[in-house]
mmCIF file of all heavy atoms in Angstrom:
data_model
loop_
_atom_site.group_PDB
_atom_site.id
_atom_site.type_symbol
_atom_site.label_atom_id
_atom_site.label_comp_id
_atom_site.label_asym_id
_atom_site.label_seq_id
_atom_site.Cartn_x
_atom_site.Cartn_y
_atom_site.Cartn_z
ATOM 1 N N ARG A 428 22.549 15.485 -6.657
ATOM 2 C CA ARG A 428 21.479 16.195 -5.964
ATOM 3 C C ARG A 428 21.687 16.111 -4.468
ATOM 4 O O ARG A 428 22.340 15.185 -3.965
ATOM 5 C CB ARG A 428 20.139 15.538 -6.297
ATOM 6 C CG ARG A 428 19.732 15.620 -7.727
ATOM 7 C CD ARG A 428 18.672 16.625 -7.847
ATOM 8 N NE ARG A 428 18.229 16.779 -9.197
ATOM 9 C CZ ARG A 428 17.925 17.941 -9.723
ATOM 10 N NH1 ARG A 428 18.080 19.023 -9.027
ATOM 11 N NH2 ARG A 428 17.503 18.038 -10.924
ATOM 12 N N PRO A 429 21.107 17.055 -3.678
ATOM 13 C CA PRO A 429 21.239 16.919 -2.238
ATOM 14 C C PRO A 429 20.386 15.766 -1.743
ATOM 15 O O PRO A 429 19.473 15.292 -2.414
ATOM 16 C CB PRO A 429 20.674 18.270 -1.750
ATOM 17 C CG PRO A 429 19.743 18.681 -2.819
ATOM 18 C CD PRO A 429 20.355 18.200 -4.095
ATOM 19 N N LYS A 430 20.701 15.300 -0.581
ATOM 20 C CA LYS A 430 19.901 14.261 0.030
ATOM 21 C C LYS A 430 18.742 14.941 0.750
ATOM 22 O O LYS A 430 18.947 15.736 1.654
ATOM 23 C CB LYS A 430 20.758 13.448 1.040
ATOM 24 C CG LYS A 430 19.954 12.324 1.665
ATOM 25 C CD LYS A 430 20.839 11.417 2.486
ATOM 26 C CE LYS A 430 19.944 10.346 3.091
ATOM 27 N NZ LYS A 430 20.462 9.053 2.999
ATOM 28 N N VAL A 431 17.536 14.635 0.323
ATOM 29 C CA VAL A 431 16.344 15.228 0.907
ATOM 30 C C VAL A 431 15.638 14.188 1.699
ATOM 31 O O VAL A 431 15.273 13.128 1.169
ATOM 32 C CB VAL A 431 15.430 15.807 -0.182
ATOM 33 C CG1 VAL A 431 14.218 16.489 0.452
ATOM 34 C CG2 VAL A 431 16.186 16.804 -1.057
ATOM 35 N N LYS A 432 15.483 14.416 3.024
ATOM 36 C CA LYS A 432 14.928 13.413 3.938
ATOM 37 C C LYS A 432 13.570 13.878 4.471
ATOM 38 O O LYS A 432 13.438 15.021 4.914
ATOM 39 C CB LYS A 432 15.882 13.173 5.079
ATOM 40 C CG LYS A 432 17.177 12.530 4.698
ATOM 41 C CD LYS A 432 18.199 12.496 5.786
ATOM 42 C CE LYS A 432 17.678 11.920 7.067
ATOM 43 N NZ LYS A 432 18.725 11.790 8.099
ATOM 44 N N LEU A 433 12.634 12.967 4.462
ATOM 45 C CA LEU A 433 11.325 13.209 5.059
ATOM 46 C C LEU A 433 11.417 12.807 6.531
ATOM 47 O O LEU A 433 11.588 11.623 6.855
ATOM 48 C CB LEU A 433 10.256 12.363 4.333
ATOM 49 C CG LEU A 433 8.851 12.423 4.891
ATOM 50 C CD1 LEU A 433 8.280 13.818 4.811
ATOM 51 C CD2 LEU A 433 7.940 11.469 4.117
ATOM 52 N N ASN A 434 11.363 13.785 7.426
ATOM 53 C CA ASN A 434 11.434 13.504 8.875
ATOM 54 C C ASN A 434 10.172 12.854 9.419
ATOM 55 O O ASN A 434 10.235 11.905 10.166
ATOM 56 C CB ASN A 434 11.670 14.791 9.630
ATOM 57 C CG ASN A 434 13.112 15.122 9.768
ATOM 58 O OD1 ASN A 434 13.968 14.372 9.319
ATOM 59 N ND2 ASN A 434 13.404 16.278 10.334
ATOM 60 N N ARG A 435 9.033 13.403 9.018
ATOM 61 C CA ARG A 435 7.787 12.904 9.597
ATOM 62 C C ARG A 435 6.698 13.108 8.551
ATOM 63 O O ARG A 435 6.599 14.143 7.906
ATOM 64 C CB ARG A 435 7.456 13.675 10.832
ATOM 65 C CG ARG A 435 6.164 13.238 11.500
ATOM 66 C CD ARG A 435 5.897 13.940 12.797
ATOM 67 N NE ARG A 435 6.545 15.213 12.916
ATOM 68 C CZ ARG A 435 6.497 16.007 13.961
ATOM 69 N NH1 ARG A 435 5.791 15.664 14.986
ATOM 70 N NH2 ARG A 435 7.094 17.162 13.988
ATOM 71 N N LEU A 436 5.877 12.085 8.389
ATOM 72 C CA LEU A 436 4.714 12.132 7.505
ATOM 73 C C LEU A 436 3.485 11.839 8.360
ATOM 74 O O LEU A 436 3.309 10.773 8.903
ATOM 75 C CB LEU A 436 4.839 11.093 6.393
ATOM 76 C CG LEU A 436 3.633 10.968 5.438
ATOM 77 C CD1 LEU A 436 3.354 12.281 4.714
ATOM 78 C CD2 LEU A 436 3.951 9.876 4.402
ATOM 79 N N THR A 437 2.641 12.859 8.481
ATOM 80 C CA THR A 437 1.401 12.735 9.289
ATOM 81 C C THR A 437 0.228 12.620 8.349
ATOM 82 O O THR A 437 0.106 13.448 7.395
ATOM 83 C CB THR A 437 1.234 13.962 10.205
ATOM 84 O OG1 THR A 437 2.448 14.152 10.941
ATOM 85 C CG2 THR A 437 0.069 13.772 11.136
ATOM 86 N N PHE A 438 -0.628 11.637 8.577
ATOM 87 C CA PHE A 438 -1.706 11.329 7.692
ATOM 88 C C PHE A 438 -2.971 11.096 8.530
ATOM 89 O O PHE A 438 -2.895 10.405 9.571
ATOM 90 C CB PHE A 438 -1.374 10.091 6.862
ATOM 91 C CG PHE A 438 -2.173 9.971 5.585
ATOM 92 C CD1 PHE A 438 -1.775 10.629 4.449
ATOM 93 C CD2 PHE A 438 -3.306 9.181 5.543
ATOM 94 C CE1 PHE A 438 -2.495 10.521 3.269
ATOM 95 C CE2 PHE A 438 -4.053 9.069 4.370
ATOM 96 C CZ PHE A 438 -3.630 9.746 3.240
ATOM 97 N N PRO A 439 -4.128 11.601 8.102
ATOM 98 C CA PRO A 439 -5.343 11.394 8.903
ATOM 99 C C PRO A 439 -5.828 9.948 8.815
ATOM 100 O O PRO A 439 -5.446 9.206 7.894
ATOM 101 C CB PRO A 439 -6.377 12.335 8.242
ATOM 102 C CG PRO A 439 -5.867 12.524 6.860
ATOM 103 C CD PRO A 439 -4.374 12.426 6.901
ATOM 104 N N SER A 440 -6.640 9.544 9.764
ATOM 105 C CA SER A 440 -7.163 8.209 9.777
ATOM 106 C C SER A 440 -8.424 8.165 8.915
ATOM 107 O O SER A 440 -9.452 8.761 9.299
ATOM 108 C CB SER A 440 -7.407 7.725 11.202
ATOM 109 O OG SER A 440 -8.360 8.559 11.810
ATOM 110 N N ILE A 441 -8.365 7.517 7.792
ATOM 111 C CA ILE A 441 -9.479 7.309 6.894
ATOM 112 C C ILE A 441 -9.420 5.880 6.423
ATOM 113 O O ILE A 441 -8.397 5.173 6.644
ATOM 114 C CB ILE A 441 -9.405 8.251 5.673
ATOM 115 C CG1 ILE A 441 -8.110 7.987 4.847
ATOM 116 C CG2 ILE A 441 -9.479 9.712 6.085
ATOM 117 C CD1 ILE A 441 -8.092 8.628 3.504
ATOM 118 N N PRO A 442 -10.480 5.375 5.794
ATOM 119 C CA PRO A 442 -10.382 4.009 5.251
ATOM 120 C C PRO A 442 -9.250 3.937 4.188
ATOM 121 O O PRO A 442 -9.033 4.890 3.437
ATOM 122 C CB PRO A 442 -11.743 3.816 4.591
ATOM 123 C CG PRO A 442 -12.633 4.746 5.288
ATOM 124 C CD PRO A 442 -11.801 5.931 5.688
ATOM 125 N N ASP A 443 -8.528 2.858 4.194
ATOM 126 C CA ASP A 443 -7.376 2.644 3.285
ATOM 127 C C ASP A 443 -6.256 3.665 3.533
ATOM 128 O O ASP A 443 -5.502 3.981 2.628
ATOM 129 C CB ASP A 443 -7.802 2.664 1.828
ATOM 130 C CG ASP A 443 -8.704 1.534 1.428
ATOM 131 O OD1 ASP A 443 -8.625 0.466 2.078
ATOM 132 O OD2 ASP A 443 -9.481 1.689 0.468
ATOM 133 N N ALA A 444 -6.142 4.147 4.761
ATOM 134 C CA ALA A 444 -5.122 5.172 5.047
ATOM 135 C C ALA A 444 -3.697 4.667 4.791
ATOM 136 O O ALA A 444 -2.880 5.414 4.234
ATOM 137 C CB ALA A 444 -5.239 5.631 6.503
ATOM 138 N N SER A 445 -3.384 3.405 5.115
ATOM 139 C CA SER A 445 -2.027 2.939 4.900
ATOM 140 C C SER A 445 -1.659 2.900 3.397
ATOM 141 O O SER A 445 -0.567 3.237 3.030
ATOM 142 C CB SER A 445 -1.831 1.563 5.529
ATOM 143 O OG SER A 445 -2.685 0.620 4.929
ATOM 144 N N TYR A 446 -2.633 2.521 2.588
ATOM 145 C CA TYR A 446 -2.387 2.497 1.109
ATOM 146 C C TYR A 446 -2.112 3.908 0.595
ATOM 147 O O TYR A 446 -1.152 4.154 -0.121
ATOM 148 C CB TYR A 446 -3.603 1.894 0.380
ATOM 149 C CG TYR A 446 -3.451 1.990 -1.122
ATOM 150 C CD1 TYR A 446 -2.646 1.094 -1.804
ATOM 151 C CD2 TYR A 446 -4.064 3.028 -1.825
ATOM 152 C CE1 TYR A 446 -2.529 1.190 -3.190
ATOM 153 C CE2 TYR A 446 -3.908 3.117 -3.171
ATOM 154 C CZ TYR A 446 -3.134 2.214 -3.870
ATOM 155 O OH TYR A 446 -2.990 2.314 -5.228
ATOM 156 N N TYR A 447 -2.985 4.870 0.989
ATOM 157 C CA TYR A 447 -2.815 6.244 0.528
ATOM 158 C C TYR A 447 -1.562 6.874 1.094
ATOM 159 O O TYR A 447 -0.901 7.694 0.429
ATOM 160 C CB TYR A 447 -4.045 7.073 0.884
ATOM 161 C CG TYR A 447 -5.273 6.664 0.099
ATOM 162 C CD1 TYR A 447 -6.462 6.410 0.757
ATOM 163 C CD2 TYR A 447 -5.239 6.488 -1.256
ATOM 164 C CE1 TYR A 447 -7.601 6.023 0.084
ATOM 165 C CE2 TYR A 447 -6.377 6.098 -1.981
ATOM 166 C CZ TYR A 447 -7.554 5.876 -1.289
ATOM 167 O OH TYR A 447 -8.674 5.506 -1.995
ATOM 168 N N LYS A 448 -1.184 6.546 2.343
ATOM 169 C CA LYS A 448 0.031 7.093 2.942
ATOM 170 C C LYS A 448 1.247 6.588 2.189
ATOM 171 O O LYS A 448 2.186 7.362 1.883
ATOM 172 C CB LYS A 448 0.112 6.688 4.401
ATOM 173 C CG LYS A 448 1.240 7.314 5.140
ATOM 174 C CD LYS A 448 1.175 6.990 6.630
ATOM 175 C CE LYS A 448 2.301 7.657 7.398
ATOM 176 N NZ LYS A 448 2.252 7.365 8.824
ATOM 177 N N ASN A 449 1.266 5.299 1.780
ATOM 178 C CA ASN A 449 2.381 4.766 1.004
ATOM 179 C C ASN A 449 2.448 5.438 -0.375
ATOM 180 O O ASN A 449 3.533 5.738 -0.879
ATOM 181 C CB ASN A 449 2.279 3.254 0.852
ATOM 182 C CG ASN A 449 2.562 2.550 2.163
ATOM 183 O OD1 ASN A 449 3.256 3.041 3.037
ATOM 184 N ND2 ASN A 449 2.003 1.326 2.297
ATOM 185 N N HIS A 450 1.274 5.635 -0.986
ATOM 186 C CA HIS A 450 1.268 6.324 -2.272
ATOM 187 C C HIS A 450 1.829 7.734 -2.149
ATOM 188 O O HIS A 450 2.592 8.188 -3.000
ATOM 189 C CB HIS A 450 -0.149 6.341 -2.860
ATOM 190 C CG HIS A 450 -0.269 7.187 -4.093
ATOM 191 N ND1 HIS A 450 0.159 6.722 -5.312
ATOM 192 C CD2 HIS A 450 -0.760 8.424 -4.284
ATOM 193 C CE1 HIS A 450 -0.047 7.662 -6.216
ATOM 194 N NE2 HIS A 450 -0.624 8.708 -5.602
ATOM 195 N N LEU A 451 1.420 8.430 -1.107
ATOM 196 C CA LEU A 451 1.897 9.792 -0.868
ATOM 197 C C LEU A 451 3.399 9.807 -0.623
ATOM 198 O O LEU A 451 4.116 10.675 -1.146
ATOM 199 C CB LEU A 451 1.160 10.412 0.335
ATOM 200 C CG LEU A 451 1.583 11.807 0.719
ATOM 201 C CD1 LEU A 451 1.365 12.791 -0.440
ATOM 202 C CD2 LEU A 451 0.852 12.253 1.965
ATOM 203 N N ALA A 452 3.909 8.858 0.142
ATOM 204 C CA ALA A 452 5.365 8.797 0.387
ATOM 205 C C ALA A 452 6.148 8.594 -0.910
ATOM 206 O O ALA A 452 7.164 9.233 -1.124
ATOM 207 C CB ALA A 452 5.678 7.660 1.356
ATOM 208 N N ARG A 453 5.621 7.751 -1.793
ATOM 209 C CA ARG A 453 6.262 7.558 -3.108
ATOM 210 C C ARG A 453 6.206 8.821 -3.930
ATOM 211 O O ARG A 453 7.202 9.208 -4.605
ATOM 212 C CB ARG A 453 5.651 6.386 -3.842
ATOM 213 C CG ARG A 453 6.005 5.029 -3.300
ATOM 214 C CD ARG A 453 5.549 3.896 -4.184
ATOM 215 N NE ARG A 453 4.165 3.951 -4.570
ATOM 216 C CZ ARG A 453 3.147 3.408 -3.914
ATOM 217 N NH1 ARG A 453 3.382 2.747 -2.792
ATOM 218 N NH2 ARG A 453 1.887 3.538 -4.334
#
């Protein structure tokens, strides 16, 4: 498969944002 790279992930500031951002990245 090709190498697919995520350059930037922008996420709004909400409670538990870091948890949801990590879940979204996965």
Side-chain angles (χ1 to χ4, degrees):
R428 296 254 180 220
K430 182 172 179 135
V431 182
K432 293 171 51 176
L433 176 62
N434 272 356
R435 180 176 23 181
L436 176 59
T437 307
F438 201 83
S440 60
I441 61 168
D443 294 333
S445 63
Y446 174 80
Y447 293 130
K448 187 175 181 178
N449 288 337
H450 172 76
L451 178 60
R453 287 190 308 270

